[in-house]
Amino acid sequence: MEAPHVVEDCRGVLQVLSDGTTVRSAAAPYTVEDRDDGRVEWRDAVYHPAHGLGVRMYRSARREAEGRLPVLAYFHGGGFCIGSRAWPSVHACCLRFAHELPALVLSFDYRLAPEHRLPAAHQDAADALAWLRDRLAPGPADGSGSDGDVQAWLADSGADPGRLFVSGDSAGANIAHHMAARFGAAGLDPVKTAGYVLIMPAFTSEAPTQSELGSRGSAFLSRDVAERYNRLALPAGANKDYPLMNPLGPDSPGLGLVGGRVLVVVGGDDMLKDNQVRYVERMKAAGNDVELALFAGMEHGFFSRDPWSETSGEVVRVVGRFMGRDAADSTGADGQD
């Protein structure tokens, strides 16, 4: 009998064998500079015990000088197949957000394909936000177990339940959009969802766009790499117009009003650029307040692959301006200044 051989390989950290076995490596596919220097405190918690899913929570070590802080819920990228809150690149992005915005950042894991194909990731993200809502909502911490501990940690950190922002990179940005669509104008009441930050959202389409056709085969996200992710993440029988991958597709419910403003960060050389720009146009046409931040010459994933670069620093500044645009009007979910 022939020994199992590799039939799919995602950046060396996920391999699918010919017998259907999946092999995962704990190592990340690329390294980043370690700047975890104590300026930001962080800790891990579990938000979904049944699925073994965790969250990493970040706050400035000088929080007493910050006052009330916005909360940024963050979902990592990786084509719905790879990635972790513990990857050095994801960790670095969140360290930078927490320190420079500043904000309380919560980085959530979710189940990955092909073991858990879509819509598992989106179901987990909805559970994550409901978990966060219940711990941000005004009221005394119950003090019981880890849940009460997290609620007390958020309160002690100055979390503002009137300024929750839902964010993500690539697949995580796709998730952020679908959380906006799922919770709609009501948001996560009584917590106020002030906005959504979509960093190079992974939106596909069965019909190739000009930016896809013109993309380089050597790009970080090439057509070949994207097709591999789609084969592993999509449900059986689905194509790239699957509604969770193409919110503008023929089978999608369409775009409506969402509970908060939207920022979309786009790389000028991203093969997904045309779908991202079209998304911005359609969201505006639906009556939403949407900002587009285009970074010329940048490929897909530039922020998470090189989070300490000057260009990534500008991403953080753009996000900070977006989050702070109406901070003066925030009164919190309980109506108090």
Side-chain angles (χ1 to χ4, degrees):
M1 179 180 294
E2 182 184 5
H5 59 278
V6 176
V7 294
E8 300 279 12
D9 186 300
C10 289
R11 306 201 187 281
V13 298
L14 166 65
Q15 294 181 329
V16 180
L17 306 185
S18 54
D19 63 357
T21 302
T22 58
V23 180
R24 291 187 178 272
S25 168
Y30 43 87
T31 60
V32 301
E33 182 183 354
D34 181 2
R35 296 193 188 178
D36 193 349
D37 56 10
R39 290 183 297 176
V40 173
E41 299 173 349
W42 58 271
R43 56 171 290 188
D44 288 320
V46 174
Y47 78 89
H48 200 312
H51 292 152
L53 295 172
V55 55
R56 183 163 290 183
M57 308 185 296
Y58 300 79
R59 66 184 181 187
S60 170
R62 297 182 63 253
R63 61 191 179 279
E64 68 280 354
E66 307 289 358
R68 298 184 87 187
L69 289 172
V71 179
L72 184 73
Y74 184 80
F75 298 95
H76 65 75
F80 300 104
C81 297
I82 59 177
S84 166
R85 73 186 190 280
W87 273 15
S89 56
V90 177
H91 185 60
C93 291
C94 294
L95 287 172
R96 191 160 195 183
F97 275 140
H99 177 65
E100 296 183 21
L101 289 176
L104 301 179
V105 180
L106 288 91
S107 176
F108 291 95
D109 278 340
Y110 49 88
R111 286 174 293 169
L112 299 173
E115 300 94 328
H116 305 283
R117 292 176 179 263
L118 299 179
H122 297 78
Q123 293 168 343
D124 293 341
D127 289 341
L129 293 182
W131 177 92
L132 178 56
R133 174 200 61 206
D134 293 345
R135 285 149 190 82
L136 280 177
D142 64 16
S144 60
S146 60
D147 283 353
D149 186 34
V150 168
Q151 189 173 2
W153 187 92
L154 290 168
D156 179 63
S157 303
D160 185 350
R163 286 191 292 158
L164 170 64
F165 292 84
V166 180
S167 177
D169 185 303
S170 189
N174 171 301
I175 288 172
H177 158 71
H178 285 289
M179 295 305 98
R182 177 183 293 236
F183 293 107
L188 287 159
D189 187 65
V191 171
K192 180 183 177 183
T193 309
Y196 297 86
V197 178
L198 280 58
I199 302 174
M200 290 163 281
F203 296 145
T204 65
S205 58
E206 194 63 18
T209 64
Q210 285 302 310
S211 61
E212 180 181 345
L213 292 172
S215 64
R216 296 179 295 106
S218 60
F220 179 73
L221 182 67
S222 64
R223 297 185 74 185
D224 179 65
V225 171
E227 290 292 344
R228 185 175 303 119
Y229 285 141
N230 287 324
R231 287 194 298 271
L232 295 175
L234 289 171
N239 63 24
K240 289 180 287 186
D241 282 334
Y242 179 60
L244 289 180
M245 289 304 301
N246 184 3
L248 309 178
D251 299 322
S252 298
L255 302 176
L257 287 172
V258 300
R261 298 179 289 109
V262 181
L263 170 67
V264 182
V265 174
V266 175
D269 287 351
D270 187 349
M271 64 166 276
L272 301 178
K273 177 186 71 173
D274 288 353
N275 282 333
Q276 295 161 354
V277 171
R278 190 160 59 105
Y279 167 81
V280 170
E281 294 168 348
R282 294 279 191 91
M283 284 288 282
K284 287 182 176 179
N288 293 291
D289 182 348
V290 186
E291 296 180 28
L292 170 65
L294 179 64
F295 286 78
M298 303 308 295
E299 291 188 1
H300 189 87
F302 75 87
F303 176 66
S304 60
R305 283 192 296 138
D306 194 6
W308 299 117
S309 72
E310 177 55 32
T311 306
S312 291
E314 182 57 24
V315 171
V316 175
R317 289 186 286 274
V318 167
V319 172
R321 289 193 292 270
F322 170 79
M323 291 174 63
R325 197 177 89 185
D326 55 0
D329 298 328
S330 173
T331 57
D334 57 357
Q336 298 297 314
D337 288 329

